[in-house]
Amino acid sequence: MNKKELLQALSQKTGMTNQDAKKAVEAFTEIMSDTLVSGGKIQLVGFGSFETLSRGARTVRNPRTGEPVEVPASRTPVFKAGKILKDAVKR
């Protein structure tokens, strides 16, 4: 499902106009991004949680040349599915 299909589904499910659905999705994604950038965590009970993990700097090998390559420390967003979502997908 792409963004356009998501907006159509949201407007059909809620009775919102397409413009209102677009505003809601954009506001939701902006709030989530801002929260994760600031180091916060978003927890939607039953659905899952979003947070960031820190990865330390490390040395890896280029598989083609075998040369060591330094990978700098970074932060990455992660999603952990909640029980209700996991159970729904298992069906």
Side-chain angles (χ1 to χ4, degrees), residues 17-68:
T17 64
N18 285 341
Q19 287 296 335
D20 288 340
K22 182 177 180 180
K23 288 179 187 176
V25 169
E26 288 175 353
F28 179 73
T29 56
E30 185 178 328
I31 291 166
M32 288 187 64
S33 296
D34 292 345
T35 302
L36 293 175
V37 166
S38 67
K41 179 178 180 179
I42 301 156
Q43 189 169 356
L44 304 171
V45 177
F47 182 75
S49 60
F50 298 85
E51 60 186 315
T52 56
L53 290 181
S54 296
R55 293 181 176 180
R58 61 196 185 278
T59 302
V60 298
R61 295 216 176 265
N62 181 330
R64 225 176 252 190
T65 64
E67 294 289 321

Side-chain angles (χ1 to χ4, degrees), residues 3-29:
K3 185 176 180 180
K4 183 178 179 180
E5 294 167 340
L6 174 65
L7 295 176
Q8 289 173 344
L10 181 62
S11 64
Q12 288 175 355
K13 192 116 182 159
T14 64
M16 299 170 99
T17 64
N18 285 341
Q19 287 296 335
D20 288 340
K22 182 177 180 180
K23 288 179 187 176
V25 169
E26 288 175 353
F28 179 73
T29 56

